[in-house]
Amino acid sequence: QVQLAESGGGLVQAGGSLRLSCAASGDTGCISAMGWYRQAPGKERGLVAAITSGDVTVYADSVKGRSTISRDSAKNTMYLQINSLKFEDTAVYYCYAPCMGLGLDYWGQGIQVTVSS
């Protein structure tokens, strides 16, 4: 009952910036938090950043200091800004949203981010 649609990915030069968006639709009232995960080839999927309904944020060490996660509750949209992009940022990025009290986890389809030099 919740759909997550990512946008903003693509090919970016190293040192550049990128802004990912995730728009939630459907029964979004059950969503307690939202976050971004990423998975690089041959690696496990891991958390990049997350934000709660109270705007508490968490960042992975690999992006801390150069990334900002934010949300627009009126638009049911979450954003991830990554600056000073590195090759190791290359991955498929997934939007994630748990549904509070229902034991459901919603995932976007994933969006490719490729950092070139």
Side-chain angles (χ1 to χ4, degrees):
Q1 293 183 324
V2 174
Q3 295 79 44
L4 304 174
E6 304 106 332
S7 62
L11 179 63
V12 186
Q13 290 185 336
S17 298
L18 186 73
R19 192 189 196 196
L20 301 177
S21 299
C22 176
S25 60
D27 296 332
T28 58
C30 71
I31 297 175
S32 59
M34 297 182 73
W36 289 96
Y37 286 72
R38 69 184 181 187
Q39 186 169 22
K43 296 185 178 180
E44 298 288 337
R45 184 179 300 186
L47 177 69
V48 180
I51 184 168
T52 71
S53 59
D55 290 332
V56 176
T57 58
V58 178
Y59 297 93
D61 289 340
S62 59
V63 300
K64 189 175 183 179
R66 58 189 182 94
S67 296
T68 302
I69 189 169
S70 60
R71 65 181 182 88
D72 185 338
S73 59
K75 298 180 179 180
N76 290 318
T77 302
M78 174 186 62
Y79 307 94
L80 178 65
Q81 176 80 28
I82 308 178
N83 302 318
S84 301
L85 285 162
K86 306 173 181 179
F87 172 78
E88 52 263 39
D89 293 320
T90 297
V92 176
Y93 286 69
Y94 297 89
C95 180
Y96 167 75
C99 190
M100 181 177 62
L102 298 179
L104 298 175
D105 298 322
Y106 295 98
W107 293 90
Q109 291 296 309
I111 188 166
Q112 179 70 48
V113 172
T114 302
V115 181
S116 65
S117 60

